[in-house]
Amino acid sequence: MKHLLLAFALALCAIAPARAWSNHALASYRAFEVLPEVAQAPPVAAEPLESFLAAQAAPIARLLAAQDAWAQSHIAHYPPLPAALRFDPAAAHQGAPALRRAFLMALRVSPESRFALYVQPDPWGPEPAAAALPHDAVSALPLREKDGEAHRFVRLEAGEPVAPLAVLSSASDEPDYGMDVNLWQDSPSAWGPLYGFGPLPFGNPALDFATQAPFHMGFYHESPIIYAAAGFLRRTYPELRVHQFMGLSRLAFESGHAYWGWRFAGLAAHYVQDLTQPYHARLAPGFSTTRLIAIQLLAALGMPGRRNDMVVLLSNRHFVLERYESQMVQAGGQVRKTTALENALHDGRQDGADGTWDDATLRDIVSLQSFQLGEAVTQQLLACAPARYVSDPGFDFGVEGGTIDLMAEVARQGPQAQATLQASIATLMGHFGAHSRALVRAILAPSRQP
Ligand SMILES: [Zn+2]
């Protein structure tokens, strides 16, 4: 069993670095622009994080304590917040840097998170007049050229009016800017060992970006055999982040800080959106449990070839799916012409009438749907993408993928292949849009919730 566990851990080392849907903001603009509660909401005044914290210190302290209690009773394997990290409202009198740090550490996110005042402009909207903000002012992670796209950040001044759609959509990409990096006992950070999350459940603790994976993936529906062999798979925490940011969003709206209401709602939406990517909700889509166990047993017996191949194939398919989605969403923005992708993001037919969202929705609806689609999506990838990228363990898409024009290559496979793959991604983007809207509706109308 120990060997088997090690084999799974190794398999996940390669899976963990992926970053899910590339730029959430671009898809979120389309998903939320059809929600009247967002699109018709009046502009809000940008507010520095510290001024929201100072104004609401006592209610925030009560909320965070209640959230810790909630997580202890609702999230299996939740490590309680260490007493030393509890948010003390007196921090409001210790100056802005201390206040911000106390809040971020009570949330157990990286204290290096920027929370700058900015938006990512909508490529479909007018050209913004404001100054650009450098990457490092917005993101705590080094700029990565690898994913083949550059983000564009525009500065907001404190007090400046801004459209809720822009705040919400921009924030939906922000959890990928280093917030969840190095939060573990074995992390090379000053704060990780204080947070009480234990050692990194899977992946390599030295690869900073990979260490966020347990907050951006949710393995809730694997077979009991898999959990028995690899119990660490249960230590994923997207539910914690959704709960934290939903609660903060409601508090901000109710206390008259609408800018932070929208911003926190966007942060919560990110984790929901990540779980609509089947490779974030399932350990090994396209591999049956029996096959998975057989491959791991062979590896444990000293024949790691199949396992190593599987690791590369899973990683490649994961990247191919995201690369294609990324190219589709960017292509739509460049030509400003509605394609199947935008239609899917706009599609409200799967939206619930009242936007119900409860404690089980992320696990039982969002991630289950995504888990169940993993098989079909993988078969579509295998049928439509060039074989070299999805069936050849000798090729590493993670290394070379950012420069590959996957859309053009799939088009060369023929119109049928192109249509199938686009439909497959459109289905996933339909779920991305519907679940994002359900979440935001639930935040805006908590009284209608069960
Ligand atoms: Zn993510």
Side-chain angles (χ1 to χ4, degrees):
M1 202 54 111
K2 195 167 159 245
H3 286 292
L4 199 59
L5 199 148
L6 184 67
F8 273 115
L10 287 171
L12 279 154
C13 278
I15 296 163
R19 64 156 62 227
W21 302 129
S22 54
N23 184 342
H24 289 240
L26 302 182
S28 287
Y29 271 112
R30 305 287 78 78
F32 290 123
E33 70 189 351
V34 293
L35 193 61
E37 293 94 320
V38 176
Q40 291 163 21
V44 294
E47 180 186 23
L49 177 63
E50 294 81 358
S51 70
F52 164 66
L53 297 179
Q56 296 297 321
I60 289 170
R62 286 194 294 273
L63 176 71
L64 297 188
Q67 290 184 333
D68 182 49
W70 174 90
Q72 290 187 43
S73 60
H74 285 84
I75 299 178
H77 309 279
Y78 170 77
L81 181 70
L85 297 181
R86 280 183 208 141
F87 183 68
D88 180 355
H93 308 297
Q94 291 159 7
L99 175 60
R100 147 196 286 263
R101 190 175 174 84
F103 173 69
L104 297 180
M105 292 189 74
L107 278 181
R108 288 190 277 181
V109 300
S110 166
E112 293 185 351
S113 307
R114 302 293 195 259
F115 284 102
L117 294 183
Y118 78 99
V119 291
Q120 266 201 68
D122 182 359
W124 291 60
E127 187 60 16
L133 260 186
H135 173 91
D136 292 346
V138 178
S139 174
L141 284 175
L143 184 59
R144 246 171 284 261
E145 307 291 347
K146 197 175 110 198
D147 49 0
E149 63 172 274
H151 286 44
R152 198 167 160 222
F153 303 120
V154 163
R155 180 189 304 274
L156 288 178
E157 301 298 337
E160 184 179 341
V162 55
L165 176 63
V167 179
L168 178 65
S169 302
S170 301
S172 77
D173 198 43
E174 203 168 347
D176 280 343
Y177 302 165
M179 197 180 284
D180 293 321
V181 157
N182 289 334
L183 309 184
W184 309 95
Q185 183 120 39
D186 46 2
S187 288
S189 66
W191 56 91
L194 306 176
Y195 278 5
F197 283 128
L200 180 67
F202 47 84
N204 181 347
L207 294 177
D208 59 358
F209 193 67
T211 65
Q212 76 166 22
F215 289 91
H216 297 239
M217 297 174 129
F219 298 121
Y220 301 127
H221 306 286
E222 304 296 335
S223 107
I225 305 171
I226 303 278
Y227 291 123
F232 56 83
L233 287 178
R234 292 189 186 275
R235 289 174 52 219
T236 56
Y237 302 106
E239 288 176 302
L240 172 65
R241 289 292 184 248
V242 171
H243 187 78
Q244 288 177 317
F245 291 127
M246 277 184 91
L248 284 163
S249 172
R250 282 176 180 155
L251 187 157
F253 277 123
E254 284 160 11
S255 59
H257 299 267
Y259 172 82
W260 282 99
W262 294 112
R263 181 97 174 240
F264 287 128
L267 297 179
H270 177 93
Y271 300 89
V272 176
Q273 295 167 351
D274 266 356
L275 289 193
T276 64
Q277 171 14 334
Y279 283 76
H280 278 243
R282 184 165 193 158
L283 174 61
F287 290 81
S288 70
T289 300
T290 318
R291 199 167 149 217
L292 203 51
I293 297 286
I295 288 172
Q296 303 293 12
L297 277 174
L298 281 175
L301 292 170
M303 290 170 274
R306 293 261 178 89
R307 185 205 61 212
N308 297 345
D309 287 356
M310 177 187 76
V311 168
V312 177
L313 292 176
L314 284 172
S315 168
N316 284 357
R317 292 167 190 172
H318 190 150
F319 281 125
V320 164
L321 189 62
E322 288 165 7
R323 175 75 181 143
Y324 202 87
E325 180 268 345
S326 163
Q327 281 199 276
M328 275 179 84
V329 79
Q330 288 186 77
Q334 274 157 18
V335 300
R336 300 189 184 197
K337 224 174 95 189
T338 305
T339 66
L341 186 95
E342 286 79 26
N343 287 334
L345 285 164
H346 284 159
D347 187 359
R349 283 174 302 177
Q350 294 182 61
D351 293 13
D354 56 354
T356 43
W357 187 281
D358 63 32
D359 288 344
T361 304
L362 187 67
R363 177 185 292 253
D364 292 349
I365 309 285
V366 181
S367 89
L368 181 61
Q369 180 183 55
S370 182
F371 177 92
Q372 288 168 338
L373 272 168
E375 184 67 35
V377 166
T378 301
Q379 294 314 321
Q380 284 154 351
L381 279 177
L382 295 183
C384 306
R388 182 156 184 247
Y389 301 153
V390 290
S391 303
D392 177 3
F395 182 80
D396 188 341
F397 198 88
V399 171
E400 307 177 42
T403 56
I404 291 170
D405 188 350
L406 192 61
M407 271 185 102
E409 295 209 30
V410 170
R412 281 198 285 277
Q413 305 279 100
Q416 178 70 47
Q418 188 178 33
T420 304
L421 196 50
Q422 293 195 353
S424 179
I425 287 170
T427 300
L428 299 177
M429 288 294 110
H431 299 159
F432 178 113
H435 296 312
S436 298
R437 288 186 293 271
L439 175 88
V440 168
R441 278 184 156 152
I443 288 172
L444 295 175
S447 58
R448 282 192 294 181
Q449 296 309 299

